[in-house]
Tab-separated table of all heavy atoms in Angstrom:
chain	number	residue	atom	x	y	z
I	213	ALA	N	35.810	0.140	-5.530
I	213	ALA	CA	35.103	-1.123	-5.803
I	213	ALA	C	33.783	-0.873	-6.383
I	213	ALA	O	33.282	-1.602	-7.265
I	213	ALA	CB	35.061	-1.932	-4.536
I	214	GLN	N	33.131	0.236	-5.965
I	214	GLN	CA	31.816	0.546	-6.509
I	214	GLN	C	31.839	1.009	-7.988
I	214	GLN	O	30.991	0.744	-8.743
I	214	GLN	CB	31.096	1.572	-5.629
I	214	GLN	CG	30.585	0.882	-4.358
I	214	GLN	CD	30.546	1.802	-3.139
I	214	GLN	OE1	31.202	2.800	-3.135
I	214	GLN	NE2	29.840	1.362	-2.126
I	215	TYR	N	32.944	1.700	-8.301
I	215	TYR	CA	33.188	2.103	-9.681
I	215	TYR	C	33.382	0.811	-10.507
I	215	TYR	O	32.739	0.677	-11.588
I	215	TYR	CB	34.490	2.923	-9.678
I	215	TYR	CG	35.262	3.102	-10.947
I	215	TYR	CD1	34.842	4.086	-11.904
I	215	TYR	CD2	36.372	2.327	-11.236
I	215	TYR	CE1	35.638	4.261	-13.064
I	215	TYR	CE2	37.096	2.548	-12.374
I	215	TYR	CZ	36.720	3.460	-13.259
I	215	TYR	OH	37.456	3.681	-14.392
I	216	MET	N	34.130	-0.123	-9.998
I	216	MET	CA	34.286	-1.431	-10.670
I	216	MET	C	32.977	-2.102	-10.803
I	216	MET	O	32.607	-2.713	-11.880
I	216	MET	CB	35.286	-2.237	-9.850
I	216	MET	CG	35.510	-3.660	-10.289
I	216	MET	SD	34.434	-4.870	-9.547
I	216	MET	CE	35.022	-4.957	-7.873
I	217	LEU	N	32.151	-2.069	-9.721
I	217	LEU	CA	30.809	-2.664	-9.700
I	217	LEU	C	29.935	-2.097	-10.806
I	217	LEU	O	29.207	-2.792	-11.453
I	217	LEU	CB	30.185	-2.417	-8.328
I	217	LEU	CG	29.392	-3.514	-7.632
I	217	LEU	CD1	30.171	-4.721	-7.560
I	217	LEU	CD2	28.997	-2.983	-6.265
I	218	GLY	N	29.989	-0.778	-11.010
I	218	GLY	CA	29.252	-0.136	-12.062
I	218	GLY	C	29.632	-0.661	-13.444
I	218	GLY	O	28.741	-0.990	-14.238
I	219	ALA	N	30.920	-0.804	-13.657
I	219	ALA	CA	31.400	-1.313	-14.935
I	219	ALA	C	30.896	-2.755	-15.134
I	219	ALA	O	30.425	-3.128	-16.209
I	219	ALA	CB	32.923	-1.247	-15.030
I	221	ALA	N	28.323	-4.194	-13.665
I	221	ALA	CA	26.854	-4.159	-13.819
I	221	ALA	C	26.491	-3.891	-15.295
I	221	ALA	O	25.628	-4.560	-15.844
I	221	ALA	CB	26.201	-3.192	-12.840
I	239	LEU	N	20.508	1.749	-15.298
I	239	LEU	CA	20.374	0.720	-14.273
I	239	LEU	C	21.569	0.479	-13.426
I	239	LEU	O	21.434	0.291	-12.145
I	239	LEU	CB	20.018	-0.650	-14.989
I	239	LEU	CG	18.595	-0.815	-15.457
I	239	LEU	CD1	18.347	-2.255	-15.877
I	239	LEU	CD2	17.644	-0.490	-14.290
I	240	ALA	N	22.758	0.469	-13.985
I	240	ALA	CA	23.928	0.128	-13.174
I	240	ALA	C	24.145	1.132	-11.987
I	240	ALA	O	24.303	0.626	-10.845
I	240	ALA	CB	25.198	0.082	-14.070
I	241	PRO	N	24.119	2.452	-12.227
I	241	PRO	CA	24.238	3.297	-11.095
I	241	PRO	C	23.160	3.149	-10.048
I	241	PRO	O	23.414	3.224	-8.830
I	241	PRO	CB	24.132	4.733	-11.751
I	241	PRO	CG	24.565	4.565	-13.117
I	241	PRO	CD	24.063	3.187	-13.517
I	242	LEU	N	21.937	2.828	-10.530
I	242	LEU	CA	20.867	2.586	-9.572
I	242	LEU	C	21.172	1.374	-8.714
I	242	LEU	O	20.962	1.397	-7.515
I	242	LEU	CB	19.524	2.368	-10.301
I	242	LEU	CG	18.838	3.645	-10.847
I	242	LEU	CD1	17.573	3.277	-11.597
I	242	LEU	CD2	18.599	4.668	-9.728
I	243	ALA	N	21.659	0.328	-9.375
I	243	ALA	CA	21.975	-0.902	-8.592
I	243	ALA	C	23.112	-0.694	-7.644
I	243	ALA	O	23.014	-1.072	-6.473
I	243	ALA	CB	22.352	-2.041	-9.580
I	244	VAL	N	24.112	0.034	-8.079
I	244	VAL	CA	25.272	0.352	-7.227
I	244	VAL	C	24.823	1.248	-6.067
I	244	VAL	O	25.206	1.046	-4.907
I	244	VAL	CB	26.416	0.966	-8.013
I	244	VAL	CG1	27.584	1.332	-7.124
I	244	VAL	CG2	26.911	0.019	-9.093
I	245	GLY	N	23.971	2.202	-6.387
I	245	GLY	CA	23.444	3.128	-5.328
I	245	GLY	C	22.651	2.348	-4.288
I	245	GLY	O	22.755	2.587	-3.139
I	246	ALA	N	21.823	1.409	-4.772
I	246	ALA	CA	20.996	0.589	-3.875
I	246	ALA	C	21.973	-0.222	-2.965
I	246	ALA	O	21.731	-0.354	-1.720
I	246	ALA	CB	20.113	-0.382	-4.626
I	247	PHE	N	23.004	-0.734	-3.522
I	247	PHE	CA	23.969	-1.519	-2.708
I	247	PHE	C	24.548	-0.560	-1.629
I	247	PHE	O	24.709	-0.962	-0.494
I	247	PHE	CB	25.112	-2.023	-3.617
I	247	PHE	CG	26.308	-2.571	-2.901
I	247	PHE	CD1	26.225	-3.857	-2.327
I	247	PHE	CD2	27.436	-1.846	-2.775
I	247	PHE	CE1	27.349	-4.350	-1.643
I	247	PHE	CE2	28.532	-2.299	-2.043
I	247	PHE	CZ	28.480	-3.562	-1.505
I	248	GLY	N	24.861	0.665	-2.052
I	248	GLY	CA	25.415	1.604	-1.075
I	248	GLY	C	24.401	1.954	0.026
I	248	GLY	O	24.770	2.026	1.229
I	249	ILE	N	23.126	2.024	-0.342
I	249	ILE	CA	22.100	2.317	0.694
I	249	ILE	C	22.033	1.180	1.694
I	249	ILE	O	22.005	1.407	2.928
I	249	ILE	CB	20.745	2.552	0.000
I	249	ILE	CG1	20.794	3.909	-0.665
I	249	ILE	CG2	19.621	2.459	0.976
I	249	ILE	CD1	19.564	4.285	-1.441
I	250	LEU	N	22.108	-0.090	1.248
I	250	LEU	CA	22.076	-1.182	2.173
I	250	LEU	C	23.329	-1.136	3.042
I	250	LEU	O	23.217	-1.401	4.254
I	250	LEU	CB	22.119	-2.508	1.364
I	250	LEU	CG	20.811	-2.838	0.580
I	250	LEU	CD1	21.021	-4.141	-0.230
I	250	LEU	CD2	19.631	-2.927	1.550
I	366	PHE	N	24.490	9.132	0.744
I	366	PHE	CA	25.508	8.049	0.604
I	366	PHE	C	25.143	7.278	-0.713
I	366	PHE	O	26.048	7.041	-1.551
I	366	PHE	CB	25.595	7.105	1.776
I	366	PHE	CG	26.695	6.164	1.719
I	366	PHE	CD1	27.968	6.558	2.005
I	366	PHE	CD2	26.466	4.840	1.337
I	366	PHE	CE1	29.020	5.644	1.948
I	366	PHE	CE2	27.579	3.944	1.266
I	366	PHE	CZ	28.800	4.342	1.574
I	367	GLY	N	23.859	6.945	-0.853
I	367	GLY	CA	23.453	6.235	-2.039
I	367	GLY	C	23.855	6.998	-3.306
I	367	GLY	O	24.313	6.444	-4.302
I	370	VAL	N	27.626	7.042	-4.025
I	370	VAL	CA	28.024	5.706	-4.516
I	370	VAL	C	27.550	5.516	-5.941
I	370	VAL	O	28.264	4.966	-6.773
I	370	VAL	CB	27.461	4.613	-3.521
I	370	VAL	CG1	27.605	3.284	-4.115
I	370	VAL	CG2	28.181	4.676	-2.200
I	371	ALA	N	26.335	5.988	-6.259
I	371	ALA	CA	25.804	5.874	-7.557
I	371	ALA	C	26.683	6.615	-8.567
I	371	ALA	O	26.879	6.185	-9.700
I	371	ALA	CB	24.351	6.356	-7.644
I	372	LEU	N	27.224	7.764	-8.102
I	372	LEU	CA	28.156	8.486	-9.004
I	372	LEU	C	29.381	7.636	-9.401
I	372	LEU	O	29.774	7.615	-10.513
I	372	LEU	CB	28.674	9.742	-8.264
I	372	LEU	CG	27.805	10.979	-8.186
I	372	LEU	CD1	28.489	12.075	-7.464
I	372	LEU	CD2	27.422	11.444	-9.629
I	373	ALA	N	29.853	6.860	-8.356
I	373	ALA	CA	31.031	5.947	-8.682
I	373	ALA	C	30.558	4.949	-9.719
I	373	ALA	O	31.276	4.585	-10.655
I	373	ALA	CB	31.512	5.329	-7.439
I	374	GLY	N	29.349	4.391	-9.513
I	374	GLY	CA	28.776	3.401	-10.460
I	374	GLY	C	28.678	3.980	-11.857
I	374	GLY	O	28.993	3.360	-12.866
I	375	PHE	N	28.192	5.249	-11.937
I	375	PHE	CA	28.004	5.927	-13.237
I	375	PHE	C	29.370	6.038	-13.925
I	375	PHE	O	29.492	5.733	-15.116
I	375	PHE	CB	27.405	7.310	-12.958
I	375	PHE	CG	27.155	8.109	-14.196
I	375	PHE	CD1	26.045	7.795	-14.974
I	375	PHE	CD2	27.934	9.150	-14.549
I	375	PHE	CE1	25.786	8.542	-16.115
I	375	PHE	CE2	27.686	9.899	-15.675
I	375	PHE	CZ	26.608	9.581	-16.471
I	378	VAL	N	30.330	2.798	-15.513
I	378	VAL	CA	29.693	2.459	-16.747
I	378	VAL	C	30.348	3.264	-17.953
I	378	VAL	O	30.625	2.725	-18.940
I	378	VAL	CB	28.200	2.800	-16.726
I	378	VAL	CG1	27.526	2.377	-18.024
I	378	VAL	CG2	27.521	2.179	-15.535
Side-chain angles (χ1 to χ4, degrees):
Chain I
Q214 281 149 346
Y215 161 84
M216 175 270 287
L217 219 54
L239 279 188
L242 284 179
V244 177
F247 169 78
I249 285 176
L250 291 177
F366 188 77
V370 167
L372 280 180
F375 182 75
V378 185

